[in-house]
Amino acid sequence: MNQLFTLEGKTAIVTGAASGLGLAVSECLHAAGAHVALLDIDADALSKVAGSLGERVKTAVVDVSDRSLLRATIDSVAETHGSLDIVVANAGVTAGPGYLTDAGQINAVEDERWDRVVEVNLSSVFVTMQAAAKHMKQQRSGRIIAVSSVAGLRSEVMCGYAYAATKAAVINLVRQTAMELAQYNVMVNGIAPGPFRTNIAGGRIRQPEVEAQFASMVPLGRIAEPDEIKGLALLLASPASSFMTGSTIAVDGGIMAK
Ligand SMILES: NC(=O)c1ccc[n+]([C@@H]2O[C@H](COP(=O)([O-])OP(=O)(O)OC[C@H]3O[C@@H](n4cnc5c(N)ncnc54)[C@H](O)[C@@H]3O)[C@@H](O)[C@H]2O)c1
């Protein structure tokens, strides 16, 4: 049974690894035996996380919108370890509030904010997949996991336009990449989280009234803790999911079943 979920000897990269879901995913890949390279824009948070994980961890301060640095960092991890087995494109940012507030309405969306969210939430996911694919095609194995959102599966009253658009685009990027890479034994899947208690949007979801608003959308009646992403992340990274590719799976307390 343990063979289904072991990542012993594997090399993994996680973007946005210093907080929230990226941190939880990094912890679980590490606990399953992988060497994990943690990429994040936040140097202080990154060094704290690396200190708490201990051995088999590398860190790189990378803004994922810096495409050449992102590509070079992924190449360097693959070359140092001699293989690249798991890549999690997780880094993402909010696009501000949804259309129920004035600031979230279509005519209030500013070009600069739109462009930054597209760069971080979509273009960086593509570049991460592209850089990973280069190595994984050659070695004829690998797992790519992209973090989308339930906001990419349907309209979402609590999220801004650029967030909804980029998270939907990531889901089709997963399908498209999965089709090309299937012949190389590289599996590509997505995770679509519902509301989790993380630091996104400055930790806005931790405010009691905001938490209550999100919880009211969830059939299980609450928001999730970051640890609750670990099971699906481990499944998609491990031998247990050897016949899964091209899917994006919701971890949403039942939201998508409504
Ligand atoms: N928390 C939720 O409710 C929720 C729901 C659905 C999807 N998601 C997605 O989960 C992913 C992780 O978000 P989170 O909720 O854990 O947020 P978080 O803010 O707690 O963590 C995000 C991490 O990404 C890093 N980051 C941000 N911009 C970066 C950049 N340009 N380059 C490198 N690193 C960068 C941050 O420093 C932080 O460590 C995001 O893609 C987010 O859209 C979150």
Side-chain angles (χ1 to χ4, degrees), residues 19 21 40-41 62-64 90 148 163 167 194 196 198-200:
S19 169
L21 303 186
D40 205 286
I41 197 172
V62 175
D63 178 340
V64 292
N90 163 78
S148 173
Y163 192 84
K167 292 300 181 180
F196 276 68
T198 70
N199 294 319
I200 199 163

Side-chain angles (χ1 to χ4, degrees), residues 189-229:
N189 291 289
I191 296 178
F196 276 68
R197 194 189 314 278
T198 70
N199 294 319
I200 199 163
R204 195 171 150 265
I205 202 164
R206 296 170 193 277
Q207 294 166 15
E209 66 283 5
V210 179
E211 177 176 341
Q213 221 175 336
F214 274 108
S216 71
M217 300 163 16
V218 182
L220 287 181
R222 62 177 178 85
I223 67 167
E225 300 302 328
D227 277 356
E228 296 184 274
I229 207 77

Side-chain angles (χ1 to χ4, degrees), residues 15-30:
T15 68
S19 169
L21 303 186
L23 171 55
V25 170
S26 302
E27 286 171 346
C28 98
L29 301 182
H30 185 262

Side-chain angles (χ1 to χ4, degrees), residues 4-28:
L4 280 179
F5 293 102
T6 182
L7 300 180
E8 221 52 65
K10 303 289 185 193
T11 301
I13 294 176
V14 181
T15 68
S19 169
L21 303 186
L23 171 55
V25 170
S26 302
E27 286 171 346
C28 98

Side-chain angles (χ1 to χ4, degrees), residues 143 187 189 238-247:
R143 303 296 178 92
M187 287 77 151
N189 291 289
S238 67
S241 60
S242 55
F243 201 56
M244 292 178 68
T245 198
S247 294

